[in-house]
Amino acid sequence: MLCELPRLRRASFTPDSTSTNRRATTDPLAEVTDSHHSRTRAIILAASLALIAFSLRTPITSVGPILLEAAKATRLSPAGASLLTTLPSLCFGLFGPLAPILAHRVGSERALLWLLVLLTVGTALRIVPAWQTLYLGQVVACFSIGLMNVLLPGVVKRDFPEHVALMTGLYSAAMCAGAAAAAAVTAPAANAIGGLLGDARANAWAWALALWAVPAALAMLVWSTQLPPAEAQAGQKRRRVRALWRDPLAWQITLFMGTQSSLAYIVFGWLPTVLRMRGMSAVDAGLMLSLSVIVQAAASLLLPFVLARLRDQRAVNVIALALAGASLLGCFFAPLSTMWVWALLLGVAQGSSFTLALTVIGLRSRDSHVAAQLSSMAQGIGYLLASSGPFIAGSLLHATGSLHSLAVLCLAVCAVSAWFGYAAGGRRYVVADVETSRT
């Protein structure tokens, strides 16, 4: 699949056009070799982006399965636990808009490398079993994730302009794979580490959380080999995108991103707790979340082939959100023996809606510069909106002790998200002014 990707459109990788044309007229074999190398670099870049994406959800979904143990060990109040589940989307919204500024100064590649360093450090900080370091580590990790969330759609639009849906599906699937791994492995890892720690096993949950610094460190090392020469940044033209915030379509995309993300973080933060309230063990609840997220990865990979056959994305956006609402009702109220069915359906629905929300950023943008700014707007404001979801969900659970209030909240979010998804799915472009300057 990836071997069919076009040549990269990166300045640091593009050969001199004059010399390339000269070789083409005298040596056909050189042209074939150049094309082969370009595709090889495209595959390596795609794999590197997927490895980065794998680490972008592990600090988040690793918390849910051991949230009760962490809250008890650190003496977090119910409000404190709710805030912990809210931190990811809150940080994404607050810090995501800084991504274009950082990329403007150092370039997207170096910005991603610095942010991977922060992600590794923040995730590792959670090894200290105290609420202060738990919060600090989560904030540092989510700061870096928030900026990388914004940078990736622009990188995809720039380097794979003819395969936006395919590449978005690839890194969305990698995100889901990482999220699924963290949800499934964290609680068993805590149990295994607890057996090794002996008397200190009460702090095993902190070791299990810090475990997810390992894939982030690996992504950091691999990405460090993808940096273009420093001189490639000098003299490049910079483009400022204006008037985007006045465009109705840009706001529809933003609100679609925010509402479907709110639902996703309610699920990440509270679905394991809900299932434990219904009688499941911590390990089984984590496995149900993991199963759901694994299916999200499959849906993310398959969806681009569906989108390729559709004129626009309106119908599939609405169908995805309707399925999400129905499957959440099943998770809340259906017999536990059928929970794997509802987890599967929830994965299909949320994997589709998340990939669609990212894909429309590229599809509704005319070039990578507009895509980067639209990504900043959609994810900055969208995640700020999404941050209220887990907090409200936790507050409702603790105030009422009933799943019915949470079900009403989730259905309302699904309905609103379907409305904006329909509006954002039309086949058109956002309207923005692009001004060019030279650094």
Side-chain angles (χ1 to χ4, degrees):
M1 178 170 61
L2 289 178
C3 63
E4 298 178 355
L5 292 178
R7 298 181 184 181
L8 293 177
R9 296 194 180 180
R10 302 172 79 180
S12 57
F13 287 150
T14 303
D16 177 75
S17 58
T18 302
S19 61
T20 300
N21 291 336
R22 183 167 60 249
R23 288 197 306 270
T25 59
T26 60
D27 189 357
L29 180 60
E31 182 181 52
V32 173
T33 302
D34 181 71
S35 176
H36 174 72
H37 288 169
S38 180
R39 290 181 178 179
T40 300
R41 286 192 293 266
I43 293 171
I44 294 173
L45 177 60
S48 300
L49 291 173
L51 187 57
I52 292 174
F54 182 89
S55 297
L56 295 187
R57 292 298 179 266
T58 54
I60 302 166
T61 58
S62 58
V63 173
I66 50 85
L67 180 59
L68 298 179
E69 288 78 9
K72 181 179 179 181
T74 59
R75 298 181 181 180
L76 274 179
S77 65
S82 296
L83 180 59
L84 185 63
T85 65
T86 304
L87 279 177
S89 50
L90 183 62
C91 289
F92 296 169
L94 289 175
F95 303 130
L98 300 177
I101 300 174
L102 180 61
H104 176 82
R105 291 181 177 276
V106 302
S108 297
E109 291 85 357
R110 284 177 171 76
L112 285 170
L113 180 62
W114 291 5
L115 293 169
L116 283 169
V117 173
L118 281 179
L119 175 60
T120 303
V121 171
T123 306
L125 274 175
R126 304 187 301 175
I127 198 171
V128 181
W131 70 266
Q132 294 91 338
T133 49
L134 179 59
Y135 270 76
L136 177 61
Q138 201 74 345
V139 168
V140 172
C142 292
F143 168 86
S144 61
I145 294 171
L147 272 68
M148 286 190 279
N149 283 340
V150 171
L151 291 174
L152 285 175
V155 172
V156 167
K157 181 70 174 181
R158 181 195 68 191
D159 295 344
F160 304 96
E162 298 175 5
H163 289 72
V164 170
L166 174 61
M167 282 303 303
T168 302
L170 175 66
Y171 81 73
S172 297
M175 281 189 196
C176 294
V185 172
T186 301
N191 292 338
I193 293 170
L196 296 175
L197 292 178
D199 292 339
R201 62 181 177 271
N203 296 328
W205 61 268
W207 286 80
L209 289 180
L211 176 69
W212 299 104
V214 175
L218 178 61
M220 175 185 66
L221 292 175
V222 173
W223 186 252
S224 66
T225 67
Q226 299 296 310
L227 299 183
E231 59 269 18
Q233 294 296 130
Q236 286 188 356
K237 291 182 178 180
R238 300 295 185 184
R239 292 175 173 84
R240 298 183 182 275
V241 179
R242 303 185 183 278
L244 188 64
W245 287 52
R246 296 197 296 270
D247 182 63
L249 177 57
W251 279 102
Q252 290 160 0
I253 293 169
T254 296
L255 294 173
F256 178 41
M257 170 63 75
T259 49
Q260 69 83 30
S261 295
S262 179
L263 193 67
Y265 286 101
I266 290 174
V267 171
F268 285 157
W270 290 105
L271 182 60
T273 301
V274 166
L275 295 178
R276 294 183 69 177
M277 289 171 62
R278 297 194 60 199
M280 271 194 178
S281 67
V283 172
D284 288 342
L287 286 174
M288 286 300 104
L289 178 59
S290 176
L291 175 62
S292 177
V293 181
I294 287 173
V295 178
Q296 288 187 35
S300 298
L301 284 175
L302 295 175
L303 188 63
F305 299 99
V306 176
L307 296 180
R309 291 165 172 78
L310 298 176
R311 179 175 175 80
D312 58 43
Q313 297 78 44
R314 290 177 294 183
V316 71
N317 287 354
V318 173
I319 291 171
L321 271 302
L323 181 60
S327 53
L328 278 172
L329 288 179
C331 290
F332 291 164
F333 304 115
L336 291 178
S337 60
T338 66
M339 201 51 53
W340 65 273
V341 176
W342 300 110
L344 287 172
L345 292 175
L346 182 61
V348 172
Q350 292 203 292
S352 299
S353 61
F354 176 63
T355 303
L356 285 163
L358 289 175
T359 301
V360 294
I361 293 174
L363 294 180
R364 301 288 91 83
S365 304
R366 291 190 180 276
D367 58 43
S368 63
H369 308 287
V370 175
Q373 290 299 322
L374 181 58
S375 177
S376 175
M377 176 182 175
Q379 299 198 59
I381 298 175
Y383 280 124
L384 276 179
L385 175 64
S387 66
S388 62
F391 187 81
I392 294 173
S395 299
L396 283 174
L397 276 180
H398 290 297
T400 65
S402 169
L403 297 181
H404 290 85
S405 57
L406 184 56
V408 171
L409 172 66
C410 290
L411 289 178
V413 174
C414 286
V416 174
S417 188
W419 176 273
F420 287 115
Y422 183 86
R427 193 173 183 178
R428 51 205 172 109
Y429 292 107
V430 296
V431 178
D433 298 327
V434 180
E435 298 177 356
T436 302
S437 62
R438 185 175 291 275
T439 56

